[in-house]
């Protein structure tokens, strides 16, 4: 059942019950009032008649009583009849025609003698309200005066009322039900419009669409606004998801591509070795060295991918207070082996003293090694590389400064992206993952990795880390 139909049925039912109760109440109230009126009128008539009875002899029998002419008191719908103590009709009004008012036994019973009473009887084909009043003379029961009044006009009135209530009420119910149906339709129309739009949006999966609702800011207006704001939120979340998904796809595609290159080299060399056998020892050595080198590159790549995959999965580094100066000295010692012809020096590492940061030693080592490795890779022999430390307020600042190739402004914003390499010729053999990992490590330490660079002049990569607050 639709809401529209249910609403209509509900208030029609409520109205029907209310009208029924009201009608029944009205009907019975009117019936009772009319009966009371009739009772009153026949009592008054009875009293009038009784007050004009005159006694002419010993007051024991009706024969000694002069009855008034009952026709004087009768009106077209009021009938009169006098019955003696034996039950014989002694007088009756002419408007009764040939009929008698019914005389029943009860009139002569104890109650009948002692007090007047009412009854409803049928005379001919007419129902009559009867007032039976005992005629007592000086304490003697001598007969009964019966005053009757036809109930026809009352019954006609009540019949008309019944007819009116029944058909009028029915018609009224029908009209209100139709009006209710129409109004419910009118009110619910915007809802069906909203439903249609929402269905269309979900069918076309078009989150750009909104529900066009121009009505007032009532319940429906708020519903439309709520759905619209939900759609807007969904759109944002969906586009973020799409971005993330596209990023993942790119990541997987790039990773596969990166892995394919060393694999191809390895396979080529293996085939060569298979063909050559032991005949060319020098070429054989070269091929084996190639294989080893590529295998190492691959395992580095796979390690990097693993770090990033874990980062994507929301894994965090477990940290503890570590002495940064120690780590940097160690990295600097190892970096000297990459130095080649480049002039390498450290500056201000002693300022760090025993300062601790909350971190993970191996991750921090990896971070600075990536930066130093890059600095040496992109700096020609005779150039300079420096590892410098300073301690601005409750932070430590570590810079890796080189006088190498520098980075073009258009590349500068992208070098932290995965697999991005500014060096399009790829002479350096890097994978483009180093800086992504480095910036992730810096973030994991609540720190920052920043770069300043000028093409042809050199670059400075700066790591800012908060000093551990030890209690
Ligand atoms: P790669 O493995 O290629 O070094 P990175 O993510 O470490 O990958 O670096 C991304 C790119 O940023 C490099 O390909 C290079 O073009 C540029 N880059 C990084 N460090 C330096 C630097 N010290 N001097 C010049 N260019 C750099």
């Amino acid at each position: 059942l639709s809401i529209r139909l249910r609403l209509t049925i509900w208030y029609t039912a409520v109205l029907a019950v209310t009208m029924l109760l009201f009608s029944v109440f009205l009907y019975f109230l009117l019936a009772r009032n009319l009966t009371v009126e009739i009772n009153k009128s026949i009592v008054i008539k009875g009293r009038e008649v009784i007050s004009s009875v005159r006694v002419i002899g010993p007051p024991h029998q009706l024969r000694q009583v002069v009855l008034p002419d009952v026709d004087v008191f009768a009106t077209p719908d009021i009938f009169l009849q006098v019955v003696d103590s034996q039950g014989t009709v002694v007088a009756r009004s002419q408007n009764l025609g040939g009929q008698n008012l019914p005389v029943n036994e009860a009139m002569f019973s104890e109650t009948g003698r002692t007090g007047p009473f009412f009854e409803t009887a049928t005379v001919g084909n007419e129902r009559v309200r009867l007032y039976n009043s005992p005629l007592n003379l000086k304490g003697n029961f001598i007969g009964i005066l019966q005053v009757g009044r036809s109930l026809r006009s009352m019954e006609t009135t009540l019949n008309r009322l019944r007819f009116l209530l029944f058909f009028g009420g029915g018609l009224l119910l029908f009209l209100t039900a139709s009006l209710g149906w129409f109004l419910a339709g009118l009110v619910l129309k915007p809802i069906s419009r909203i439903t249609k739009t929402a269905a269309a949006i979900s069918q076309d999966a078009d989150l750009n669409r909104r529900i066009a609702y121009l009505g007032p800011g009532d319940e429906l207006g708020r519903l439309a606004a709520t759905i619209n704001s939900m759609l807007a939120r969904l759109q944002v979340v969906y586009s973020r998801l799409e971005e993330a998904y596209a990023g993942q796809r790119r990541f997987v595609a790039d990773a596969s591509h990166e892995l394919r290159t060393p694999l191809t080299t390895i396979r080529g060399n293996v085939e060569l070795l298979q063909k050559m056998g032991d005949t060319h020892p020098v070429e054989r050595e070269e091929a084996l060295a190639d294989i080893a080198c590529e295998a190492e590159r691959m395992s580095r790549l796979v390690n990097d991918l693993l770090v990033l995959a874990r980062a994507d999965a929301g894994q965090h580094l477990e940290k503890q207070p570590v002495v940064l100066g120690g780590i940097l000295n160690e990295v600097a010692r190892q970096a000297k082996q990459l130095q080649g012809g480049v002039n390498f020096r450290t500056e201000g590492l002693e300022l760090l003293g025993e300062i601790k940061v909350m971190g993970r030693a191996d991750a921090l080592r990896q971070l600075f090694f990536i930066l130093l490795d890059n600095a040496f890779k992109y700096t020609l022999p005779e150039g300079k590389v420096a590892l410098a430390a300073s301690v601005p307020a409750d932070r430590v600042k570590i810079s890796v400064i080189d006088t190498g190739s520098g980075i073009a402004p258009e590349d500068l914003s992208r070098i932290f992206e995965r697999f991005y390499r500014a060096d399009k010729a790829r002479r350096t053999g890097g994978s483009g993952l180093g800086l992504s990992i480095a910036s992730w490590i810096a973030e994991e330490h609540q720190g920052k990795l920043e770069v300043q660079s000028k093409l042809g002049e050199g670059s400075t990569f700066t790591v800012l880390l908060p000093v551990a607050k030890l209690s």
Side-chain angles (χ1 to χ4, degrees):
L1 286 184
S2 67
I3 293 187
R4 185 184 187 186
L5 187 59
R6 265 186 297 171
L7 268 181
T8 313
I9 289 176
W10 262 108
Y11 54 60
T12 310
V14 170
L15 187 68
V17 171
T18 320
M19 270 172 52
L20 186 75
L21 289 179
F22 175 72
S23 304
V24 168
F25 174 74
L26 184 73
Y27 182 83
F28 283 103
L29 187 74
L30 189 71
R32 209 186 109 77
N33 279 356
L34 287 177
T35 310
V36 167
E37 276 309 311
I38 286 173
N39 287 351
K40 256 193 215 160
S41 72
I42 52 183
V43 167
I44 289 171
K45 195 57 81 177
R47 283 197 193 130
E48 263 176 46
V49 175
I50 288 170
S51 68
S52 19
V53 170
R54 280 181 298 119
V55 186
I56 51 163
H60 300 302
Q61 290 198 344
L62 201 57
R63 266 181 277 121
Q64 275 116 15
V65 172
V66 177
L67 289 172
D69 180 1
V70 285
D71 281 321
V72 173
F73 297 97
T75 56
D77 64 339
I78 292 191
F79 313 108
L80 290 154
Q81 179 171 284
V82 180
V83 183
D84 71 9
S85 53
Q86 270 71 49
T88 319
V89 175
V90 293
R92 64 168 186 235
S93 58
Q94 275 180 3
N95 56 8
L96 274 170
Q99 318 246 22
N100 280 348
L101 291 177
V103 176
N104 75 29
E105 285 302 311
M107 292 180 184
F108 303 98
S109 70
E110 209 46 49
T111 12
R113 281 163 199 241
T114 48
F117 68 95
F118 293 98
E119 66 174 323
T120 304
T122 309
V123 177
N125 52 8
E126 218 170 294
R127 278 161 40 81
V128 173
R129 185 73 178 155
L130 274 181
Y131 175 63
N132 301 307
S133 175
L135 292 171
N136 292 316
L137 269 183
K138 310 237 159 71
N140 294 318
F141 173 68
I142 55 164
I144 289 172
L145 170 70
Q146 290 182 287
V147 187
R149 184 166 171 182
S150 163
L151 290 177
R152 183 178 284 164
S153 76
M154 177 182 112
E155 277 167 355
T156 314
T157 308
L158 289 178
N159 280 346
R160 274 196 200 136
L161 181 68
R162 259 202 317 268
F163 178 85
L164 191 76
L165 288 176
F166 188 76
F167 288 102
L171 186 70
L172 200 69
L173 264 189
F174 174 75
L175 287 179
T176 31
S178 315
L179 188 69
W181 175 255
F182 170 74
L183 282 178
L186 210 65
V187 169
L188 294 172
K189 204 173 187 161
I191 291 194
S192 80
R193 237 189 11 243
I194 290 174
T195 312
K196 266 191 210 136
T197 319
I201 290 172
S202 96
Q203 200 178 7
D204 308 344
D206 179 7
L207 292 175
N208 291 317
R209 270 184 72 177
R210 293 289 177 271
I211 288 164
Y213 182 77
L214 300 173
D218 53 11
E219 287 89 338
L220 291 179
R222 286 202 295 276
L223 174 68
T226 310
I227 293 181
N228 279 344
S229 79
M230 193 180 77
L231 283 172
R233 263 211 67 58
L234 269 181
Q235 196 181 20
V236 171
V237 172
Y238 188 75
S239 66
R240 266 194 219 140
L241 267 181
E242 258 194 342
E243 244 168 57
Y245 182 53
Q248 281 296 333
R249 267 193 316 219
R250 220 172 26 240
F251 183 53
V252 171
D254 289 347
S256 324
H257 180 78
E258 288 299 322
L259 286 169
R260 212 167 51 187
T261 321
L263 271 177
T264 314
T265 317
I266 290 172
R267 271 176 45 200
N269 280 309
V270 169
E271 274 168 26
L272 190 72
L273 283 174
Q274 281 170 337
K275 267 192 233 149
M276 266 186 333
D278 290 339
T279 47
H280 299 77
V282 180
E283 282 83 351
R284 186 168 158 270
E285 277 315 305
E286 276 175 5
L288 281 173
D290 256 9
I291 289 173
C293 173
E294 290 302 315
E296 198 180 318
R297 196 155 89 93
M298 257 178 79
S299 86
R300 262 201 321 270
L301 188 63
V302 170
N303 274 339
D304 288 352
L305 289 174
L306 206 61
V307 172
L308 289 171
R310 286 200 184 121
D312 285 348
Q315 224 175 56
H316 294 289
L317 294 175
E318 253 175 52
K319 286 164 282 182
Q320 59 192 55
V322 290
V323 180
L324 192 62
I327 292 173
L328 287 173
N329 280 315
E330 211 179 305
V331 175
R333 228 179 2 259
Q334 282 171 358
K336 287 205 178 98
Q337 295 165 14
L338 306 169
Q339 194 175 350
V342 178
N343 173 351
F344 175 59
R345 66 194 162 84
T346 60
E347 277 170 29
L349 290 196
E350 65 287 350
L351 291 177
L352 294 175
E354 290 301 303
I355 287 178
K356 289 182 177 168
V357 295
M358 284 302 286
R360 237 179 96 140
D362 56 353
L364 289 171
R365 243 177 287 176
Q366 188 179 9
L367 159 60
F368 295 114
F369 202 79
I370 289 169
L371 300 181
L372 282 170
D373 183 40
N374 280 347
F376 289 121
K377 266 198 298 197
Y378 301 107
T379 305
L380 292 172
E382 320 297 273
K384 287 183 201 161
V385 171
L387 175 66
S390 62
V391 190
D394 61 338
R395 290 202 291 183
V396 283
K397 181 175 167 186
I398 319 295
S399 304
V400 176
I401 308 150
D402 67 56
T403 57
S405 60
I407 303 163
E410 66 271 20
D411 293 324
L412 211 52
S413 56
R414 302 198 55 194
I415 52 171
F416 295 100
E417 286 173 21
R418 294 171 183 190
F419 296 109
Y420 187 81
R421 275 177 280 184
D423 170 23
K424 300 288 179 309
R426 308 198 164 183
R427 283 162 306 201
T428 54
S431 62
L433 293 178
L435 287 179
S436 320
I437 294 175
S439 68
W440 173 70
I441 294 174
E443 274 166 28
E444 275 293 293
H445 286 79
Q446 277 72 53
K448 264 197 284 191
L449 171 59
E450 287 165 356
V451 60
Q452 281 178 319
S453 186
K454 215 165 186 188
L455 201 59
E457 289 184 16
S459 318
T460 301
F461 284 84
T462 307
V463 181
L464 279 161
L465 295 175
V467 172
K469 289 190 181 66
L470 301 175
S471 50

